[in-house]
Amino acid sequence: MIISELKRFFRFDRQTVWLLVSMCCFILFFFSLPSGIFNKPRSTVLYSSDGTLLSGMIADDGQWRFPMRESVPDKFKLALITYEDRHYYEHSGIYLPSLCRAVVQNVSNQKVVSGASTLTMQTVRLSRDNPSRTIAEKLAEMVRAMRMEWRYDKEEILALYASNAPFGGNVVGLDAASWRYFGRSPEQLSWAEATTLAVLPNAPSLIFPGKNQERLLEKRNRVLELLYDRGCFDEQTLALSLSEPLPGKPYPLPQTAPHLLHTIVSSSGKGKQFKTTIDVQLQEQCNILLNQRVAQLESNFIHNAAVLVVEVRTGNVVAYVGNSSDLQNRFGNMVDVIRAPRSTGSILKPFLYAAMLKEGLILPNSLVADIPIQYDGFSPQNYAETFDGAVPASLALSRSLNIPSVIMLKEYGYQRFYHLLQKIGFTHFRQPADHYGLSIILGGGEASLWDITHAYAGMSRTLIEYHDSNGKYFDHAYGERNILQGEKADTITDEFPPFDAASIWCTYRALLEVNRPETELGWEVYNSSSPIAWKTGTSFGNRDAWAVGTTPDYVVGVWVGNADGQGRPTLTGVTSAAPLLFDIFSLLPHNRWFTPPYDDLNKIAVCSQSGMRMGEHCQHADSLFVPAAGLHASACKYHQQIFTDETGSARLSAECAEGRNMTAKSWFVLPPVQEYYYKTRHPEYLDLPAFAEGCGEDESLPIGLIYPKGDAKIFVPVDLDGRYEKVVLQATHRDHGATLYWHLDGDYLGETRVIHHMEINPAPGRYLLTITDVNGQSLFRYIEFIGKNQH
């Protein structure tokens, strides 16, 4: 009974059986083609803005297999279809007439002489790594070909074939073959070149470019004649195509931007293609100029350099040379220096100058002290180790004087400046502001050429957009910009710009005055109708040489040095980096200068000597455009009114004015220490007349201490006998012939006249130094001397 019930349960009619069989066949057909095909590793390739190949990285399996194409160029497509599958657009994966003909031919010849494979079947076979040719495999190919036609349209199948067909050796895919055999993209191939590649995958191991030329030429020409017969081109094109030579040995792939490629791979991964904003011609020219420059510097053991060129309006990077070329990588030439943090030297000074202009803390030509200074053990020196006493802020910037910059930063505040740098895109200041202190303006911190160049581009973009928008500011001037096409740039939003247009314009005016290195040995004078605002920098120990320049259209950043950080005495921004900067600007279009932002500028009267707002005692005025905050800047503090006798040779005071003819005069007076150095460079500077006898004393202290400065701590060295060596103190007096009397903790040391140097031999400890002149005016300073065992 149980058996009969089972028979009845499993008894199906014929229709049900066919339905089940059909369902099974459909399921097998549906899943016959895997969801993911052609999953082999791909090469990584980098293209310029116009589609030119810049650099490539071979796939992990050692094959030049470019990323998948989305479409196939018409010439290659027509040649391929003509040669491989003339009925490609008429079938659904299998072409039955060809299949039947192949069966008859193979049976009659008792061997395989025709496979009847359509392009779709060949694509399936490529996806399965060309398995052995058997009847079962052929049947499977046909089923999968029909399934492929169901999943993809005809153009997609052609793209799959073109992206994965073998072209001899380790060259896979149309793109790799086109660049390897012809040195250009598939879209740029001639009819003869496209046809050569169309016939090559049929037997890549047998018909390899550079070998078997006759067979390859015969196949190519036969297809060209068929294309002519189909009306694809005229008779002249046929004749020219038949006369074209076959390719020889494969070309090496271009390596025009290898450092950019590796940098992008590190952030975005391998096996992709990246289209950049790079201008290929400019990139190639920058490569040549950079390598020529490094070749000149190698005699001084300077081996590396980098160049970055940014388009101001768009922020697009149009040239990116991360390092000099050396196939042996002897000197760290594979390091992408553009992204590497390096000591900034003086390259940040324009940002401080612009910030202080924006705040009204200085005017463009305000005098800034240039004297020996010391702040908490930090004693900066100018590069030439000289002092000007006082110097206009614009000149301090153009001459890149260190001491005025440190004095300006102390007034502005290094904490504020630190946050300003972060706001405009500097990413490598990762320690707290106190870690850098005042040294941040002289290279105490690190930045990359990428950040520096984009920060300057942000200032230029602010100025351009202000003009283009009739006085408006935008929130995207600063921050990282585009290098990949279609990439959304990271920007820094800020309702109020870090620098206003007027401050930037005044800063660039000062940078126009930077002395170009015409006098340097081997330097060719840069002649151009296009002015450039530029700045150099040299890090401590001559390890890094910087140069950055800008026009309204481009910003060029240059770094020169050694990737391992080794310094060289001759390595400076002016002599090493600036020549390359101007060579690159000579490649760029010459254009206008920045339009003055008159809506953001105010014309005021300034003292011609101090550069400050006109004070009540200033005699001569200059007219100057300044930022709005400059309207509230400090008035001149250096001009004071004095009274002299009728000869002008002696000063008078209220105590002795009675019965005398007094003349009121305006006098330009600097503080004593500033005056001491200022007079050496400005012979026109006039000392204050001495007071007439019995007319009292000077109202301001005429004594200045040059060394040491402030409440200083002085290390006293020990000689070979173990005794403390002598220390020389230095002072100045407004009266050149004055006598000064020196005391240390009340003990008389001696007197000096004209040259005020006092040699002492102190033991370690804290002392009160007193210096007094003949009028009884005294200067008091505490000085601490430190011995070898003290800290």
Side-chain angles (χ1 to χ4, degrees), residues 46 264 268 274-277 482-488:
L46 197 68
I264 291 177
S268 302
F274 302 98
K275 190 168 185 180
T276 70
T277 58
N482 298 330
I483 194 166
L484 299 178
Q485 288 191 0
E487 176 185 61
K488 184 178 180 181

Side-chain angles (χ1 to χ4, degrees), residues 54 60 63 78 114 142 233 337 344 347 373 424 464 482 509 512 549 583 610 648 672 720 724 759:
L54 292 172
D60 289 342
Q63 302 294 305
L78 290 171
S114 176
M142 290 189 288
F233 45 74
V337 184
T344 58
I347 209 71
I373 58 172
I424 62 177
I464 290 295
N482 298 330
R509 288 277 297 175
L512 279 174
D583 283 345
S610 70
L720 295 177
Y724 289 107
E759 191 177 72

Side-chain angles (χ1 to χ4, degrees), residues 290 294 297 302-308 321-324 335 337-338 340-343 447-449 452-453 537 539 543-548 557-566 571 576-577 580:
L290 182 144
V294 171
L297 295 170
I302 300 169
H303 305 292
N304 305 99
V307 167
L308 186 67
V321 185
N323 208 326
S324 52
V335 175
V337 184
I338 288 177
R342 311 286 300 202
S343 174
S448 65
L449 184 61
I452 291 169
T453 307
S539 68
R543 294 181 175 88
D544 307 276
W546 303 91
V548 179
V558 174
W559 174 90
V560 176
N562 288 311
D564 62 2
Q566 181 183 13
L571 181 66
S576 302
L580 180 56

